[in-house]
Amino acid sequence: MTSFLKIASILAVMYLCLAAWVYLTQRRLLYFPTRSVVATPADAGLAFEDVLLVNGLGTELHGWWLPHPKARFTLLFCHGNGGNISHRLESLRIFHDLGLSVLIFDYSGYGRSQGEPSETATRADARAAWDWLFERGVEPGSVIVFGRSLGGAVAAGLAAQVVAQGAAPAGLIVESTFTSVPDMGARLYPWLPVRLLARDRYDAAEALTGLRIPALFVHSPADEIVPHALGRALFEGYQGPKSFLALRGGHNDGFLLSGRDYTDGLARFLDSLSGPGAPLSAPDPARAENPA
């Protein structure tokens, strides 16, 4: 019995040490920024300008503004947790071909942006991008807030914040997004009390509660990183006008592998919105998948 208690005590201490390590280092498991900007929209044949943003924490952020000469809407692009904005050129081409002006920005600690990533920082970063559009004269009702993966939770939080302040965007698109980080962690580490340990929660489901703007949810059943079930749960829990677009392929390439199905789905959503532009047919997916 004494030996058993000793072993149990050692295992308990090891478990507590592991839990403490996860708590202290979890942001290394959540954020994967890269600093090197490996390309610009010019490499995809797109006109752009560099943008300097300053968030509410005083952090300087880098972004790109890609105006469209006949913009239907303006899309505010919240990217995922890896790389930086220079890894999103395929999406920038797709959105341009759909007739959208785009503002894409790097979170704190990503690319040329200063600071360190955290939930508080990324939310402040997204709000700085929204405020930049407003200061530039872009009407809130002509903005579509878009987020992919972790960026979907950032986008949901931003949409909820600005709607609560009386400035509703035209729509919201969340792609390959989870309900919350604790929900993701509970699936990945069922043997840890992740709901107690999570410092950055990104509760997209909670952010969408009470929101009623048109929303498009995009996810692939073959997503190997964010379970399709969490994307469906996010969609099913939303009480506003909504539609679901199923992709083919994995988490990082589903929007490309889906080709025309993806661009047609986006075009249908855009056509359903009230906005300044006329309906536009979807771009050729061959062009979208192979930017110049």
Side-chain angles (χ1 to χ4, degrees):
M1 181 62 70
T2 302
S3 297
F4 174 79
L5 291 175
K6 287 182 178 179
I7 294 173
S9 298
I10 292 172
L11 291 176
V13 170
M14 292 175 62
Y15 182 82
L16 291 174
C17 289
L18 177 60
W21 179 83
V22 169
Y23 178 79
L24 294 172
T25 66
Q26 61 186 267
R27 285 178 176 159
R28 298 179 190 174
L29 305 175
L30 186 57
Y31 305 106
F32 301 94
T34 59
R35 284 294 191 180
S36 178
V37 175
V38 297
T40 74
D43 295 301
L46 299 171
F48 77 103
E49 61 182 80
D50 284 297
V51 170
L52 174 64
L53 309 172
V54 180
N55 70 17
L57 305 174
T59 306
E60 292 188 353
L61 312 170
H62 173 246
W64 290 327
W65 168 240
L66 292 82
H68 192 286
K70 297 181 180 179
R72 308 176 65 196
F73 296 95
T74 294
L75 185 133
L76 195 164
F77 192 143
C78 303
H79 66 69
N81 68 334
N84 58 55
I85 58 176
S86 68
H87 301 103
R88 273 76 190 185
L89 297 189
E90 297 96 339
S91 289
L92 295 178
R93 165 54 69 186
I94 289 171
F95 293 139
H96 177 84
D97 289 347
L98 283 165
L100 303 174
S101 294
V102 180
L103 174 62
I104 185 170
F105 63 96
D106 263 328
Y107 304 122
S108 298
Y110 284 70
R112 297 172 183 165
S113 294
Q114 297 179 355
E116 297 291 334
S118 68
E119 183 172 11
T120 297
T122 57
R123 294 196 184 283
D125 300 340
R127 183 54 192 255
W130 173 274
D131 290 343
W132 186 90
L133 289 174
F134 180 77
E135 292 164 3
R136 198 177 179 95
V138 177
E139 292 294 328
S142 68
V143 176
I144 297 169
V145 182
F146 170 89
R148 178 175 290 144
S149 191
L150 180 128
V154 176
L158 174 65
Q161 181 186 55
V162 298
V163 167
Q165 296 172 352
L172 170 69
I173 302 174
V174 288
E175 184 176 309
S176 306
T177 298
F178 44 76
T179 46
S180 71
V181 164
D183 288 345
M184 280 283 292
R187 285 174 172 262
L188 294 171
Y189 310 104
W191 37 272
L192 277 175
V194 293
R195 298 187 188 282
L196 297 176
L197 296 174
R199 299 165 66 188
D200 292 347
R201 306 185 69 84
Y202 288 102
D203 196 332
E206 175 65 25
L208 295 180
T209 301
L211 203 60
R212 295 295 185 270
I213 63 174
L216 174 65
F217 296 80
V218 186
H219 217 114
S220 170
D223 193 319
E224 76 285 10
I225 295 178
V226 177
H228 181 253
L230 293 185
R232 286 294 306 186
L234 193 62
F235 165 74
E236 290 166 3
Y238 187 61
Q239 299 301 307
K242 61 185 179 182
S243 54
F244 190 91
L245 174 60
L247 300 181
R248 300 185 302 276
H251 183 76
N252 292 315
D253 61 4
F255 73 101
L256 288 175
L257 293 178
S258 297
R260 194 80 186 186
D261 290 341
Y262 178 68
T263 54
D264 282 350
L266 293 179
R268 285 193 301 271
F269 179 68
L270 295 176
D271 289 345
S272 73
L273 301 177
S274 299
L280 183 75
S281 59
D284 183 348
R287 187 182 180 193
E289 293 180 26
N290 300 285

